[in-house]
Amino acid sequence: SQQGEEDPQALSIQEGENATMNCSYKTSINNLQWYRQNSGRGLVHLILIRSNEREKHSGRLRVTLDTSKKSSSLLITASRAADTASYFCATPYSGAGSYQLTFGKGTKLSVIP
Amino acid sequence: DTAVSQTPKYLVTQMGNDKSIKCEQNLGHDTMYWYKQDSKKFLKIMFSYNNKELIINETVPNRFSPKSPDKAHLNLHINSLELGDSAVYFCASRLRDYQGETQYFGPGTRLLVL
């Protein structure tokens, strides 16, 4: 079942601006992950934030996690045309000996040169 | 040195045909997955295989059958293809330990059923 829900569905910004995407989820998690999908490609893992972390940085990426609100945000600073892609949040689910990720529907980011 | 590879990249076929998609990972991972991504980009898990054992079969029609000859391969066979099977299919893998929480995806196979 779908767990994460990204917002907005689409975002268009000028190169150099910051882009913020949000993700809301429903159940308790021990980590939340963000993935990027360029057009016509597979998903690429960007960053993982654990439930005991509030903020995490990786290069131009900043991820926050608010477990009380069951939400996360992904900030891309100083965006570039190459950042144009769809961004998905994913939350893990473990049950019956399995481990799987549940993905949201994604935010489509367009960075205009 | 591709980590997760899939073949073919594109697959166009007629309704009713049987087709297979191959997936291989050279990461030494224990668990492999098949996902279906529809036209609205929604990614849904289909199967999870751990050490050649099927763990998840998320209400997938039995026309779809995963086959894992060894830990590095998880192929997807589809019988009697239907129009609704048109989608992009992604293979992914994961190392099954506490640190292996991220998944590595293949480039996808774009299936079009006519």
Side-chain angles (χ1 to χ4, degrees), chain A residues 5-11 20-24 34 72 89 106-107:
Chain A
E5 193 81 27
E6 290 91 343
D7 167 58
Q9 289 187 344
L11 179 61
T20 299
M21 287 158 270
N22 303 297
C23 169
S24 59
W34 285 91
S72 173
C89 67
T107 292

Side-chain angles (χ1 to χ4, degrees), chain A:
Chain A
S1 61
Q2 186 180 350
Q3 164 82 302
E5 193 81 27
E6 290 91 343
D7 167 58
Q9 289 187 344
L11 179 61
S12 184
I13 60 173
Q14 295 288 330
E15 201 166 28
E17 294 180 341
N18 296 341
T20 299
M21 287 158 270
N22 303 297
C23 169
S24 59
Y25 58 92
K26 296 174 184 173
T27 61
S28 295
I29 56 172
N30 58 22
N31 71 74
L32 184 142
Q33 304 175 35
W34 285 91
Y35 287 76
R36 183 188 72 227
Q37 183 179 29
N38 289 85
S39 180
R41 302 287 185 92
L43 278 74
V44 174
H45 178 257
L46 292 176
I47 195 166
L48 180 154
I49 186 166
R50 299 196 184 280
S51 58
N52 61 354
E53 298 174 306
R54 289 296 168 259
E55 189 171 307
K56 196 164 183 179
H57 297 253
S58 176
R60 294 184 295 111
L61 304 181
R62 182 173 79 97
V63 169
T64 62
L65 180 63
D66 187 334
T67 53
S68 66
K69 295 181 179 178
K70 291 187 169 58
S71 67
S72 173
S73 67
L74 171 66
L75 169 67
I76 304 174
T77 60
S79 63
R80 305 168 182 169
D83 296 327
T84 295
S86 291
Y87 292 82
F88 296 85
C89 67
T91 50
Y93 166 77
S94 293
S98 71
Y99 175 95
Q100 59 174 304
L101 290 176
T102 305
F103 290 84
K105 292 185 178 179
T107 292
K108 187 173 183 179
L109 173 66
S110 299
V111 180
I112 304 165

Side-chain angles (χ1 to χ4, degrees), chain A residues 1-2 30-31 33 35 37 39-45 48 50 86 88 95-101 103-105, chain B residues 9 33 35 37 40-43 45 48 55-56 58 90 94 96 98-108 110:
Chain A
S1 61
Q2 186 180 350
N30 58 22
N31 71 74
Q33 304 175 35
Y35 287 76
Q37 183 179 29
S39 180
R41 302 287 185 92
L43 278 74
V44 174
H45 178 257
L48 180 154
R50 299 196 184 280
S86 291
F88 296 85
S98 71
Y99 175 95
Q100 59 174 304
L101 290 176
F103 290 84
K105 292 185 178 179
Chain B
K9 188 171 182 180
Y33 304 85
Y35 289 87
Q37 187 174 45
K40 295 182 179 179
K41 298 289 190 182
F42 182 47
L43 200 66
I45 191 166
S48 169
I55 302 175
I56 302 171
E58 290 275 329
F90 288 98
R94 179 182 81 92
R96 194 183 186 212
Y98 177 71
Q99 299 299 323
E101 293 157 307
T102 64
Q103 294 185 12
Y104 294 78
F105 283 76
R110 283 137 195 87

Side-chain angles (χ1 to χ4, degrees), chain B residues 39-51:
Chain B
S39 58
K40 295 182 179 179
K41 298 289 190 182
F42 182 47
L43 200 66
K44 184 177 171 61
I45 191 166
M46 300 176 71
F47 298 103
S48 169
Y49 246 77
N50 178 45
N51 197 23

